[in-house]
């Protein structure tokens, strides 16, 4: 199996957004998550109105991937050479609960229901960055850097994949967390399980 | 390295064995039935619901009874079930919503998808942590592709792939809100198709580098791929780009081309857009003459289990030298010509292309050869 390099990472939490350990945006602790995410959207100059239709899980996925898929990265690879492997433990729990509430009241709506699948985040990121490569969404009991690295290496060895975004993201109740890692063949920073765990666990 | 597939099990409204299900389908029955006020949603729906009498007793939730019923068949298909306990054996579990009814009951932790994996791992005393795949309606096929790649790259010697999804108020109310459900038994690819039937199923199969672990090898896995449309989260691409690329990359992986395919077991949900998209993708590959069917009119769209149960029934079809008519199809209803089977067809068929597409722009294709 191939050794991969961690070339960049990003993080969205309840307190702010980081890229490669540098603060990108601090959330206002007096504001709720939803308005903080909106502020982050403005601050990052996204100009992508679809963002406002998305559920929270997709919003943090879009923000975290935006920092990694720079033009320089996207120009390096063909549209089927970047793979996406995302994971979490609670699937689309927030939208699931919203949908349950709606259908219990007899008002189920496609706008909520469509987000009751975790891989919709992969769809939204793929649309945003025109990625047509391999992808998969895994549910783990808790963060499994070893599994993410193994699956990324597997795609690099068996498919056209040359770069892979692997990540963990949760959005429900008070939990807001996205930690995304860009793995590439070229680089000088070997992606190890310990390194990914450390980035996930460090409070910046 | 060769990857063999065998010891398949399945449960759906027709029964609890792959051959039993195939025989019922061959006789022209449908397992989809009318429910006048389905899940108290105030609407008549046509659904593929599994009767409890087909399921083993014991487990508290229906999805666990379904999984147990399917896995029981898989155990019977292995020469020696101790291979499951080997540290070289992996477990892949495929589902979109698992036991989602627990969420409605106020028990979100009971609805957590990782429970399905832990449950099976514990029951079968498997060593490795399960990999739970939740990639909408391609989950089952993606699970097979994922498992086969793990064997090819020597991460595992054997992989047990299981999949299951239920018909629930959760999913049905959502599809109704999309106006996506059919007014009768669904009619994939037909001019008068008007939507899907939801169905429930569990299926299981074993992939292995070693053909001797099976009482009977059913097929060889030749290659597979997935691709995203990057177009829309709930509507398929107008050009079928993601499906086109999945098939293209699966052919490259298998070192095969369209002329090597004897049969396409397609996705065919019977929504207007999906079936049209598939016809465009297959036409772009010059596959318009290859016999094709969808199983959705027989037992509904089984979501995360679909790619898995349809693969094992498709392989049974190769084994029995009989391609099944695409239930509900009468007249061509896609802009591009595809060879939808309007009657059962006997002959010698060796190689199957299996495809699946789903929400999130997801698409997958796998190629299998009869053993």
């Amino acid at each position: 199996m191939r050794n991969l390099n961690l070339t960049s990472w990003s993080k969205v939490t309840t307190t702010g957004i980081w890229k490669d350990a540098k603060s990108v945006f601090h959330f206002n602790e007096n504001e709720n998550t939803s308005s903080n995410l909106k502020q982050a959207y403005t601050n990052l100059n996204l100009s992508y109105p679809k963002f406002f239709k998305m559920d929270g899980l997709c919003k943090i996925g879009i923000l975290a991937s935006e920092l990694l898929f720079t033009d320089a990265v996207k120009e390096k690879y063909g549209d089927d050479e970047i793979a996406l492997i995302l994971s979490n433990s609670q699937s689309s729990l927030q939208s699931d609960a919203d949908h349950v509430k709606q259908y219990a009241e007899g008002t189920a709506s496609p706008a909520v229901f469509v987000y009751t699948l975790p891989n919709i985040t992969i769809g939204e990121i793929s649309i945003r960055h025109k990625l047509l490569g391999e992808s998969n969404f895994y549910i783990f009991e808790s963060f499994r850097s070893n599994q993410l690295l193994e699956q990324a290496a597997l795609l690099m060895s068996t498919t056209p994949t040359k770069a892979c975004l692997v990540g963990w993201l949760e959005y429900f109740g008070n939990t807001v967390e996205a930690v995304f890692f860009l793995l590439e063949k070229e680089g000088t920073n070997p992606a190890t399980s310990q390194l990914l765990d450390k980035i996930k666990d460090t409070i910046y | 390295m060769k990857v063999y597939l065998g010891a398949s099990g399945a449960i759906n409204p027709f029964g609890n064995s792959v051959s039993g299900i195939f025989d019922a389908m061959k006789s022209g029955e449908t397992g989809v039935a009318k429910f006048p006020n389905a899940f108290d949603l105030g609407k008549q729906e046509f659904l593929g619901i599994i009767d409890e009498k087909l399921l083993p007793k014991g487990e508290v939730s229906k999805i666990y009874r379904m999984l147990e019923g399917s896995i029981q068949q898989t155990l019977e298909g292995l020469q020696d079930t101790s291979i499951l306990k080997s540290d070289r054996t992996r477990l892949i579990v495929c589902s979109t919503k698992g036991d989602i009814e627990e969420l409605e009951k106020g028990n979100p932790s009971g609805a957590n998808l990782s429970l399905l994996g832990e449950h099976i791992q514990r029951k079968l005393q498997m060593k490795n942590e399960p990999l739970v795949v939740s990639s909408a309606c391609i989950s089952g096929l993606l699970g097979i592709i994922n498992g086969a790649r793990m064997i090819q790259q020597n991460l595992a010697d054997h992989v047990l792939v299981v999949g299951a999804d239920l018909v629930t108020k959760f999913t049905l109310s959502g599809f109704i809100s999309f106006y996506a459900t059919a007014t009768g038994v669904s009619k994939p690819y037909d001019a008068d198709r008007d939507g899907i039937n939801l169905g429930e199923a569990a299926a299981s199969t074993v992939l292995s580098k070693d053909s001797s672990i099976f009482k009977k090898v059913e097929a060889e896995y030749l290659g597979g791929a997935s691709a995203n449309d990057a177009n829309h989260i709930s509507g398929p691409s107008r050009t079928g780009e993601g499906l086109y690329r999945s098939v293209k990359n699966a052919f490259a992986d298998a070192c095969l081309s369209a002329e090597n395919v004897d049969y396409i077991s397609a996705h065919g949900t019977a929504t207007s857009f999906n079936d049209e998209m598939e016809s465009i993708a297959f036409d772009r590959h010059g596959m318009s003459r290859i016999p094709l069917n969808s199983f959705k009119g027989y037992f509904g769209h089984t979501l995360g289990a679909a790619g898995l149960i349809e693969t094992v029934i498709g392989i049974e079809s190769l084994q029995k030298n009989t391609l099944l008519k695409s239930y509900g199809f009468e007249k061509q209803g896609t802009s591009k010509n595809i060879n939808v089977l309007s009657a059962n067809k006997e002959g010698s068929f060796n190689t199957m292309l299996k495809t699946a597409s789903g929400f999130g722009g997801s698409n997958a294709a796998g190629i299998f050869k009869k053993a």
Side-chain angles (χ1 to χ4, degrees):
Chain A
M1 293 285 285
R2 188 176 284 283
N3 290 319
L4 302 174
N5 289 286
L6 175 62
T7 52
S8 191
W9 58 266
S10 62
K11 197 165 183 172
V12 180
T13 72
T14 47
T15 57
I17 300 178
W18 288 264
K19 182 185 181 184
D20 300 334
K22 290 188 203 69
S23 172
V24 173
F25 186 69
H26 269 299
F27 289 157
N28 182 340
E29 59 188 48
N30 300 315
E31 296 281 352
N32 63 26
T33 304
S34 165
S35 58
N36 274 322
L37 294 178
K38 194 175 163 186
Q39 269 304 316
Y41 166 92
T42 310
N43 194 264
L44 292 174
N45 293 317
L46 241 73
S47 63
Y48 190 63
K50 266 185 199 165
F51 182 82
F52 296 103
K53 286 190 188 173
M54 296 176 196
D55 73 344
L57 194 69
C58 289
K59 279 181 179 159
I60 62 171
I62 286 286
L63 291 172
S65 60
E66 199 69 22
L67 298 173
L68 302 185
F69 289 138
T70 58
D71 290 345
V73 167
K74 284 191 279 185
E75 279 160 18
K76 244 195 286 182
Y77 300 106
D79 64 3
D80 61 353
E81 291 176 349
I82 300 177
L84 298 173
I85 301 175
L86 297 182
S87 63
N88 71 12
S89 167
Q90 300 296 334
S91 184
S92 48
L93 180 57
Q94 184 64 58
S95 284
D96 290 359
D98 292 346
H99 175 60
V100 168
K101 205 169 154 214
Q102 282 199 338
Y103 74 69
E105 292 166 356
T107 58
S109 74
V112 169
F113 178 63
V114 72
Y115 288 103
T116 63
L117 293 164
N119 68 303
I120 297 300
T121 318
I122 289 174
E124 293 284 18
I125 296 170
S126 298
I127 294 167
R128 168 75 181 150
H129 297 288
K130 297 275 171 287
L131 305 177
L132 288 92
E134 292 271 344
S135 61
N136 207 344
F137 201 107
Y138 296 108
I139 306 291
F140 298 127
E141 196 185 343
S142 60
F143 183 58
R144 291 290 188 270
S145 51
N146 56 336
Q147 300 255 35
L148 293 175
L149 289 172
E150 184 178 280
Q151 292 303 321
L154 195 58
L155 289 184
M156 298 259 194
S157 310
T158 58
T159 74
T161 304
K162 289 183 178 158
C164 187
L165 184 154
V166 302
W168 169 269
L169 76 169
E170 290 280 24
Y171 188 102
F172 63 93
N174 297 321
T175 304
V176 178
E177 185 186 26
V179 194
F180 283 14
F181 306 90
L182 183 64
L183 307 176
E184 296 180 87
K185 290 180 183 176
E186 308 297 321
T188 52
N189 188 25
T192 61
S193 199
Q194 292 82 354
L195 178 62
L196 268 54
D197 288 347
K198 191 176 157 218
I199 291 168
K200 165 127 185 350
D201 294 341
T202 303
I203 295 165
Y204 290 92
Chain B
M1 181 189 292
K2 288 194 175 185
V3 178
Y4 300 96
L5 181 153
S8 299
I11 284 200
N12 72 6
F14 284 123
N16 50 14
S17 73
V18 177
S19 62
I21 291 168
F22 178 83
D23 290 344
M25 292 166 72
K26 190 179 168 187
S27 72
E29 293 173 44
T30 179
V32 172
K34 181 165 78 177
F35 292 80
N37 180 21
F39 294 89
D40 297 320
L41 286 163
K43 202 170 166 292
Q44 171 180 297
E45 290 291 339
F46 287 77
L47 305 167
I49 304 287
I50 299 174
D51 193 310
E52 279 290 345
K53 67 176 187 285
L54 291 173
L55 303 175
K57 301 206 174 2
E59 299 292 346
V60 180
S61 287
K62 187 175 191 181
I63 194 162
Y64 290 99
R65 292 193 287 278
M66 285 159 52
L67 282 164
E68 184 172 319
S70 184
I71 290 169
Q72 194 54 46
Q73 300 163 47
T74 289
L75 297 178
E76 286 161 14
L78 293 171
Q79 283 290 1
D80 175 7
T81 58
S82 71
I83 62 121
L84 293 174
K85 296 176 191 168
S86 156
D87 60 7
R88 293 284 299 165
T89 302
R90 299 286 190 105
L91 168 63
I92 295 180
V93 180
C94 313
S95 184
T96 62
K97 299 311 304 172
D99 203 6
I100 191 65
E101 285 179 320
E102 289 298 306
L103 180 60
E104 190 187 322
K105 292 178 195 159
N107 176 26
S109 58
N112 191 302
L113 272 172
S114 56
L115 288 186
L116 289 185
E118 286 164 32
H119 179 86
I120 296 164
Q121 184 193 3
R122 192 172 56 245
K123 275 245 160 183
L124 299 176
Q125 298 172 279
M126 297 181 74
K127 293 226 169 44
N128 289 301
E129 191 172 86
L131 205 50
V132 178
V133 171
S134 194
S135 286
C137 305
I138 73 164
S139 300
L141 182 55
L142 198 51
I144 296 175
I145 295 168
N146 204 154
R149 287 172 178 166
M150 290 165 89
I151 294 169
Q152 287 166 341
Q153 292 294 311
N154 199 29
L155 292 174
D157 292 340
H158 324 286
V159 180
L160 169 64
V161 185
V162 306
D165 260 315
L166 296 167
V167 177
T168 60
K169 191 170 187 175
F170 186 101
T171 47
L172 183 60
S173 65
F175 279 98
I176 290 173
S177 78
F178 260 108
Y179 297 99
T181 59
T183 54
V185 177
S186 71
K187 299 161 79 69
Y189 308 110
D190 188 78
D192 296 328
R193 68 185 181 275
D194 69 350
I196 69 166
N197 303 136
L198 289 176
E200 52 194 14
S204 48
T205 196
V206 175
L207 301 165
S208 178
K209 66 172 195 176
D210 181 0
S211 62
S212 72
I213 69 158
F214 301 110
K215 286 185 185 155
K216 179 180 187 301
V217 178
E218 294 158 8
E220 192 187 319
Y221 170 88
L222 301 181
S226 79
N228 200 285
D229 283 328
N231 175 68
H232 194 280
I233 52 168
S234 59
S237 153
R238 296 288 172 126
T239 59
E241 189 63 25
L243 180 57
Y244 173 82
R245 293 208 193 185
S246 303
V247 172
K248 178 173 164 263
N249 291 342
F251 280 143
D253 189 35
C255 300
L256 291 176
S257 59
E259 61 259 33
N260 302 113
V261 174
D262 298 320
Y263 160 55
I264 304 171
S265 170
H267 191 56
T269 60
T271 66
S272 173
F273 288 133
N274 174 78
D275 296 6
E276 171 66 11
M277 176 280 286
E278 289 183 32
S279 79
I280 293 167
F282 293 132
D283 181 67
R284 287 176 65 190
H285 275 294
M287 303 177 85
S288 304
R289 296 177 66 181
I290 300 172
L292 170 153
N293 60 17
S294 159
F295 294 152
K296 304 290 194 290
Y298 288 102
F299 51 86
H301 187 353
T302 57
L303 308 177
L308 184 54
I309 191 167
E310 292 172 11
T311 294
V312 303
I313 294 170
I315 289 168
E316 178 75 3
S317 188
L318 299 178
Q319 289 279 344
K320 297 276 175 72
N321 298 312
T322 306
L323 304 183
L324 298 172
K325 73 170 182 184
S326 195
Y327 194 97
F329 175 80
E330 285 166 20
K331 52 181 186 291
Q332 188 82 39
T334 53
S335 69
K336 299 294 178 190
N337 248 341
I338 41 176
N339 184 9
V340 185
L341 288 152
S342 56
N344 293 347
K345 182 177 173 157
E346 296 194 0
S348 177
F349 309 103
N350 294 302
T351 306
M352 171 178 84
L353 170 68
K354 172 75 202 123
T355 66
S357 302
F359 278 1
S362 53
N363 299 272
I367 305 170
F368 303 85
K369 189 175 88 179
K370 172 166 71 177

